[in-house]
Amino acid sequence: MMNEKLLKLLTGVQNGTVSVESAMKSFGGLAYEDLHHTKVDHGRKIRKGLQEVVFGEGKTLGQISDIVTSMSANGDEVLATRIDASLGEALCRSFPLGRYDDLSRCFMVMKKKRRITGKGIVLVVSAGTSDIPVAEEAYVTSVFFGNRTEKLYDVGVAGIHRLLGNMEVVKKARVIIVAAGMEGALPSVVAGMVGVPVIGVPTSVGYGASFGGLTAMLAMLNSCSTVSVFNIDNGFGAAYYATLINRL
Amino acid sequence: MMNEKLLKLLTGVQNGTVSVESAMKSFGGLAYEDLHHTKVDHGRKIRKGLQEVVFGEGKTLGQISDIVTSMSANGDEVLATRIDASLGEALCRSFPLGRYDDLSRCFMVMKKKRRITGKGIVLVVSAGTSDIPVAEEAYVTSVFFGNRTEKLYDVGVAGIHRLLGNMEVVKKARVIIVAAGMEGALPSVVAGMVGVPVIGVPTSVGYGASFGGLTAMLAMLNSCSTVSVFNIDNGFGAAYYATLINRL
Amino acid sequence: MMNEKLLKLLTGVQNGTVSVESAMKSFGGLAYEDLHHTKVDHGRKIRKGLQEVVFGEGKTLGQISDIVTSMSANGDEVLATRIDASLGEALCRSFPLGRYDDLSRCFMVMKKKRRITGKGIVLVVSAGTSDIPVAEEAYVTSVFFGNRTEKLYDVGVAGIHRLLGNMEVVKKARVIIVAAGMEGALPSVVAGMVGVPVIGVPTSVGYGASFGGLTAMLAMLNSCSTVSVFNIDNGFGAAYYATLINRL
Amino acid sequence: MMNEKLLKLLTGVQNGTVSVESAMKSFGGLAYEDLHHTKVDHGRKIRKGLQEVVFGEGKTLGQISDIVTSMSANGDEVLATRIDASLGEALCRSFPLGRYDDLSRCFMVMKKKRRITGKGIVLVVSAGTSDIPVAEEAYVTSVFFGNRTEKLYDVGVAGIHRLLGNMEVVKKARVIIVAAGMEGALPSVVAGMVGVPVIGVPTSVGYGASFGGLTAMLAMLNSCSTVSVFNIDNGFGAAYYATLINRL
Amino acid sequence: MMNEKLLKLLTGVQNGTVSVESAMKSFGGLAYEDLHHTKVDHGRKIRKGLQEVVFGEGKTLGQISDIVTSMSANGDEVLATRIDASLGEALCRSFPLGRYDDLSRCFMVMKKKRRITGKGIVLVVSAGTSDIPVAEEAYVTSVFFGNRTEKLYDVGVAGIHRLLGNMEVVKKARVIIVAAGMEGALPSVVAGMVGVPVIGVPTSVGYGASFGGLTAMLAMLNSCSTVSVFNIDNGFGAAYYATLINRL
Amino acid sequence: MMNEKLLKLLTGVQNGTVSVESAMKSFGGLAYEDLHHTKVDHGRKIRKGLQEVVFGEGKTLGQISDIVTSMSANGDEVLATRIDASLGEALCRSFPLGRYDDLSRCFMVMKKKRRITGKGIVLVVSAGTSDIPVAEEAYVTSVFFGNRTEKLYDVGVAGIHRLLGNMEVVKKARVIIVAAGMEGALPSVVAGMVGVPVIGVPTSVGYGASFGGLTAMLAMLNSCSTVSVFNIDNGFGAAYYATLINRL
Amino acid sequence: MMNEKLLKLLTGVQNGTVSVESAMKSFGGLAYEDLHHTKVDHGRKIRKGLQEVVFGEGKTLGQISDIVTSMSANGDEVLATRIDASLGEALCRSFPLGRYDDLSRCFMVMKKKRRITGKGIVLVVSAGTSDIPVAEEAYVTSVFFGNRTEKLYDVGVAGIHRLLGNMEVVKKARVIIVAAGMEGALPSVVAGMVGVPVIGVPTSVGYGASFGGLTAMLAMLNSCSTVSVFNIDNGFGAAYYATLINRL
Amino acid sequence: MMNEKLLKLLTGVQNGTVSVESAMKSFGGLAYEDLHHTKVDHGRKIRKGLQEVVFGEGKTLGQISDIVTSMSANGDEVLATRIDASLGEALCRSFPLGRYDDLSRCFMVMKKKRRITGKGIVLVVSAGTSDIPVAEEAYVTSVFFGNRTEKLYDVGVAGIHRLLGNMEVVKKARVIIVAAGMEGALPSVVAGMVGVPVIGVPTSVGYGASFGGLTAMLAMLNSCSTVSVFNIDNGFGAAYYATLINRL
C-alpha cells in the first residue's frame, strides 16, 4: 500500500469520513489462531473463499490433533491429507466424527451433505492403475470442496482406444485433472482433444529413469498442448486449483 | 471408442437411423491442411474453441510463410510467437497487414477490433524489470484471444510493499499470470492473497544457480499456496490457459 | 483419420458398399475389459500381435488377481513382472496353475508347451553376476513370447576374453539383449562385433556415481556402436522388443 | 576365446587340420587403414555387414577429406553426417562426385542407383515441423543403406487426428522411426498402435525445461508402450539400427 | 608464512629478541587430542573463540563417548547434534549430567547457567510446522553459544499476514535465522523487510520436486533480497554463524 | 498485522490518541517511484538502512537510464552492477559524473568522499587470478557501502603457504569474503583459521565438471567449517551482506 | 591384432617356425572358470599381475561361496569387499580359514604372512571420523596386496593444523589415498604439499547438498592440485590402484 | 605441526641446537612471488619436484605475460595451457623464444633439449579422432615434464580390433592415459588388459546425452577395471599425474 493511499485512509479515519469497519476491511482476512507450533489460518476463507486444509506429512499426531480441534472449534470442516494409516486410526479414535480413507490417505471431518458449489463437473483421469492413489487424493479433495466429480481410470496412451472410447465422459467435464506417471504423456493427449483447462499431476509411479516422477513432470511442462502442471503426487493441489476454476 | 458403440454407430448408419452428418460429428474437429512440412490444424477451433498459434522457434521463414498463408486463406487471424527481429521484419515485408512487436517477439496479422470474449480481467504481473519480455508475450497472447488484460510490473518480494500498494489491481482480476525468475517466490505470495487461479511462469532471468529458470520453476511447483506452473519463459502457454479459464 | 476418408467410409456403410464388418476392421483391435481400476487391453493381441503383460509394481494383490482372472477368462496366458516374493506366493495360492520365479520376480500362468514363433535365437547377455536378475526378467519374457532364448552371463569388459571366448554363442543370435550396470560399456563392445540388433538394458547395479543405473543408461545412449536403449532394469521391455524384431 | 579353443585352433593349424584361411576367418573382419589421426574401419562391412559412416562433428576438413579418400579408394560409398554448410561446400569442391544436403547436414558420395536390400518399408515420423532436420538425417541414412523409406511429418499429439488420419502409411511400415522433441510423447502413442519395432529419437527441439532434449529422451525411456531409444538428435543411429532390423 | 618472515622469526628466537612464547603464539591455537579415530580440536576455542561441537551422524556410540570424555576432561561443555533417540538415551546413561532433546536431536552436557555473550537477540523463524526440528537445532545451538534467542514458527508466505502480524518480534532481532522447505521463499520476504543479516536454512520438508530440500536451497541462493545460505537442514551451522555475527 | 492490533491502531487514529504520523510510521519505509517498467524502491533506505542498487543484467539502456535518473533525483548515489563495457560507455556519456570500472563491470555515480560507516575491515580474498572479476565486484560494492576494504588475491589451496604467509592481513579483518571457483575449498580453510564470519562466493571459474560454478557452490554449502554461501559469481550480494554485518 | 600380423602368426604356426606355446602366449592371460552365474577371471593374475577380488554387493551367499571355492581351488587368497555382517558370518562358518572385518566390511581368506611387494609406504588418510569405514576398506585392500600401509585419520581442513602436525607421516609415503566426504577439500590440500601421487576417494559422508558424496567427488575432480579420483566410497579401487603404482 | 614439536623446534633454535637453516627447511618450499593479481608459486619445484604450469583460461594477456616473465626470470621453462590462438600469437610476439601449438592449445618457452627424467614410457591413447586435442594437451605436457611419450589414436570400442592390433604399443607403456568422449568405455577395456596404472580423461566430445563429457566421466568413475579419473578435457592434469607416477 503506497504512502499516499495509506495517508488518505488514516486521515479519513481521523476525520471520520472513513469508518473503522471500512478501514478494517482494507486489511481483511488476516485472522489466525496461534498454537505456537502452528498458526491456523482462519482468515483464508475470507481471503481466498476456501478454507485451510491440513497437510499431514511431517506433522506429529499431537500437532494435527491441535489443528483439527482449532478448526472444528471455528466451525470448519476438516480435510487432512498425507495421513499414514496408523495416524489415521489414531485420529479416528480422537475424533469419532472423522473418517479415514486409506486409498487417498485422507482424514476428514465432514458434514453429511455436500453443498455443490462448483458450476460444472471436475473429471479425474488416471493413466494407469498405479496412479490411482494420487487420483483419489484429487477426487476426495474435489468432493470436499463442493464439486460434482467423476473418475476415469487406466486410460493411458499405451492403449489410447480406452480414452477414445470414453470421450463422452471427457467431453462433459468443465475442468479435467490428469494423473500420470512414467512418460506423463496423457495430459497432452487429453488437452489436444478438449477446450477446457487440463491440470496435469505427475505421479511418482515408475522406476529407473522416471526419477520418482521427475520425468513425467518435465514431460507435462513441455506439453505441446497447453497443460498446467503441479508438483509430483500433488493430487490435493490439482483439485484445490480445479475448485478455484470451477467456481468462476 | 469401444467396439459396441462403434458397432451401434455403424449399424445405425447402415440402417439409416443415424445420419452420416451425425456420425461425422462424433469424429468432428479433425480437419487439417497438409503442407508436408506442417499439418496446419484448422480443426482446433472446432475441437478446442481456440485457433492454432504458430510457434516460431526452429521454423524457417519459408515454413512460417506457408503456415501464415494457409491460416489467412482459412480466414483465421495469425499470432506467431518466438520470432526473432530479422524474421519479424521479413514477415512484415511478405504480409503487409502484419505487425511485429519486438518486446514480446510476436508477429501478428489481426483484425482491427478485438472482440472481448473473456468474462473478466486477465492480469499479467512481473516480479522484475527483466521478466518483462516474458510477461509481454503473455500480454499480447491474452489480448489476441479476446481478454481484457492489465499489467503490473516489477513488484517482486524484495520490496513487497510494491505489491501490497497495488492490491486493488490484483483484487479485480479473474485470472492472474505471474512471471518471475530468480527464486520465483512471487506467485506463492500472490496466490496466498487472492481467491482466483494464479498461473506461475518461471523466467530464465537470473544467473549462476538459477540454471536458466530451473530454480524458479521448481520453486513454483513447490508452492505452499497452490499455483499452476508452465514451462520456463512460456508466456504464451500461460495466456492461452488463462483464456481457457476466463471464457468459462 | 481424415474427414474425406471417414466420410467415404460412413457413406459406404450407408450405401451398403462397405460392410459393417469391414468398417469395424478399420477400427479393429480396440476391445478392452473395464475392471474400473484397470482397463484390460484384450485388443492388444489384435493391434500388436502380442498379448498384454501385467506390470506388477504399485498394484495391490486384489488388482492383480482381478487382471489375472480377466486374462485367463479371455483365454490368455499370464505373465506378471515385478512381483515381490510375498505377492508371488499369494498369487500361487490363488491360481494353482501359476508359477513364481524368484530370480526374475515373475509370476506366470502358462501352457505347458511353448510354441516357438520367433525366427531365430534371442541371446541374453549380462556384464556381471549382479545383473542376473534383470537378465532373467528378459530371459523369462523372451521364452514366454515364443523365442528360442539363450544366456551368456558375467562377460563384462574388465575381462573381455570371457566375451571373446564365447563369440560362437554371440554370432548365432538374431537379436542380442545386453544387461549391464556400472559403466555400461558391454553393449557397445558387443555391437561393435556383430551385425544384428543389440538392445542395451542398463541395470541399477553399482554404487556412488552409478546413480542407480543412470550412468550405465547414459553410456549406452552415447554408444559409438549403435545400440538401442531401454529404461534402467527394464528386462521385460527389452525382451518384448526383441520379440517384435525376432518375428519379422 | 578360451585357452582350450585357442589351443585346439592353433594345434589344428600346426597339424594342418585347420587351414590358415579358416583360422583367419575366426578372427575375420579386423582390417583397418591407419591414417594416424583416424583408423578407418574397412573391416566393419565384414563384421557387421554395413560399411562405416563418417561422424563429422569435431573433425577438421583435412581429417574428413583423408577419410573420404580412404573409403573411396576402398571402393566404398561415403556418408558423412553432422557436416556444417561451409564444410559441406568445401567437400563438394574436393570431391566433385559428392553431394551436400543442407536439411539433413549430410555429405554423400553415392552410386546413382540404390540397391534395395531392406525387406520392408522404414517409415520416418516427426512430431513437429522443427524436428524435421533430425528426421531427415534418419531419412537420408535409411536411403543410403538400401531401405525403401517413407516420411510422415508434423503429426504430434497436440492434434492426434493428424496421426490417426494417416494410419495406412503407418500400418504399412516394417520399422518406424519417430523423432520428437518437447514432451516426446509421440513414440509411445505410435507404439501403442502397431506391432512392429518403433525407434524413438528425442530431439533437442524445445526450450526451458526441455533441457536440450533431455525431457523427451527420458519420456521415451519411460514409455509404457515399449519403444527403443537413441541419443538426442541421433537420427543417424536410429536409421542404422532400423537397417539392422529391416534386413533380418 | 613467507620465507623472510619465518627467517626473521627464527633468527629472532635464536638471537633472543623473540621469546619462545611469543613465537609459539604466532602458531597458536593448534592443540588437539589424538583419539586415533578422532583428533579433538581443543585449539578451536583459541583460534575461533568458540569450542568444537560434535557432529553425531555417522559416528558410533564408542566414538562419541570418547569425544565427550575428552571434551569434559578439557573442561568444555558438550553439544552433540544429529543424535538419534536410541543413541541419545545411551549417552544419557553414560553421562548422567547430560540431557537429550528429541525435537532438535541434540545431546548436551551444559553448565546450569548460560552466560549471555551475544550482543543482541537471535531470532529463529520457521516457515511451517514441519520445519520445526531444524529450527530447534538452530535454537538449541544458539542458546548453547550464549545468545538470547527467540522463536517465531509457522509464518510462511501462504498466509503472509502471520508474518506481518509479528513484525515487532522480527524488528527486535540482531540476527535472523529462517528455516523453510518447499519453495523456500520466506527468507527473501523477511530480508526484504529488515536491515539485519538474515540466514536462510533450507529444510528437507516437502515432496516430489522439492528433491529433499534442493529446491528450497536453490531458491534461497537466488534470493533477490540478499540472504546467506547454509546446507539443507543445517540448523547448527546457521546458529553457529549467527553466534559469530552476534558477538561482533 | 493481526486484527486486534490493527483495530486498536485505527481506533486510536479515530479517537485522536494515535497521530496519523505515528500510524504512518507503523507502515513506514514503503515509498517507491513507479517508472512502469520498474518500481524504484526509495523506501529501502528506511526499511533496511541501505539504498537500492541497480542489477544491470537483462535491463536495457533506456531502463537503466530511467532508474539512474530517478535515484539521482532522489539524492541517492548510484551503483549499477553487471554492466557490459558498451553499456557502461553509453551510461558514462549520459551521466558525465558517472564512472565505469571494467574489471568489476560496475557503473557508479558517487560522491567524491566515502564516509566510512562500517566498524571494521572487510577483506576480499580470491583463490585464483581468474576469480578476480567476482572479487572486484565485491570490493567495489563494499567500498560503495562505506567499509574499509582490503584485498588478498590468488591464495588458493594448491599452494596454501601463500595464505599462511598472509595471516596478518586475514587476522585483522572483521568480515571476510572468499571468492573461489573449481573445487571451492578456500573458504573452508580460511574459516577454520579465524573467528569472524566468512562469506563464500563460488565463481564460475573452471571447466568440465565445475558446471559453471555449481561444484564450488556445493562444496561451500558442505563446508565442515561453517561458511555462509551466496549464488555463483554474486560478489555484490556477498559485499552487501558483509555491510549488514560490519555495521552491527 | 591386424590381419597381416595374425596371418604371419598363423602361417608361422603352420610352418612350424612359431611354436604353439609361443602363439598361445600372444593370447595369454585369458583363462577363466565358468560357474555360469560367474566367470572367475583366473587369468587376471597373468594379465595384470594382481589376482581378482570379489565385489560382494548384489551377490548371493551361494554365488560368493562358489567363487571363494573356485579361487581357493586355484590356490588364490580371497578378498571379498562390501560384505554385510550377516553374510560375513555365514562365510566364516563355510570357510573356517576366513576372517570377517566389520569396520571395512571385508571377508578374507589369507595366508598368515604378507609378502611385502610394494616398494614404499601407502598412506591412507581420512578427513573425518565418519570417513573411516571407506578408509579401512582401502587399508585392508592395500595390506592384502602386499603394501606397507599406514593410517592418518580425522585431519580435515576445518582444523588444518592436525594435518600440518603430521607432515612427517605424510612426507614418508610413496602413494597417498585420501578419503573425504562433505566438501572433499582435503585431497587438494594434501596434493599441494607433496610430490607423490594422491588418490582422492570421495565418501558418502554428509547430508543435504552432499548428495551422497557427489559434491565431494565433483570437488576432487575440480582440484587445482592434480588429484586422481575414484567413485564414491570406492576404497577398494583406490588401494588397488595404489598397488599398481607402488610396485612400479 | 603440534605444539610440542613446534616448542621443541623453537627451543632448539633458541638453544642453538637447531640451526636456522635446518628450521627453515622444516617449513621449506614456501617461496612465491607476489604479482598482486597472481602469487607465482616458485616453491612448488621444491615442495612437489615439478614446477608450476600456467592455466591460461580466464587470464588476460597482461596477467599471463607477467607470469611468464616472472617464471623466466626465475630460470624456469614455461608451459601455458588453454591458450586461444589469438592469445598464443600475442605471446609469441612478446616472447620470441616461445612457441604456440594450436592442436593442444599450449604456449611453451622450452629449452631445446628435453632431459628424460621419467623411468618408462607414457602412452597417450584416444578413443576417437575428435578426442585428439585433449590427447595432445596430455602429450605436450608429458613431453614437457621429461617423459618418453607415445601416441595411439582412434582405437575406440566400436572397432576393438584396432586396439587389439596395437597391443605391443600398449604393453610397453609404464603409465597409460586414455582420452575418450561419448560413452567413455575405452579406459575400462584398456585397464582390463594391462597391469600398469591407467588414467582416464573424459572428453567433451559427443552431443545430446553426453552432456559435455559428463557421461564419459561418470562411466569412467564406475569402471569395473580400476581406472583413475580426471576432470573433463583435463589432458594437462592426467599428464602431470602420469609424471608423478613415472618418476617413482
Side-chain angles (χ1 to χ4, degrees), chain A residues 1 47-48 164-165 191 195 247, chain B residues 1 48 164-165 191-192 195 241 247:
Chain A
M1 200 171 278
R47 283 195 334 277
K48 298 192 58 111
L164 298 174
R247 66 183 186 175
Chain B
M1 201 171 280
K48 298 192 60 109
L164 298 174
Y241 199 75
R247 65 184 188 175

Side-chain angles (χ1 to χ4, degrees), chain A residues 86-99:
Chain A
S86 63
L87 202 55
E89 282 173 40
L91 286 168
C92 285
R93 277 193 298 272
S94 303
F95 302 92
L97 295 175
R99 187 169 63 78

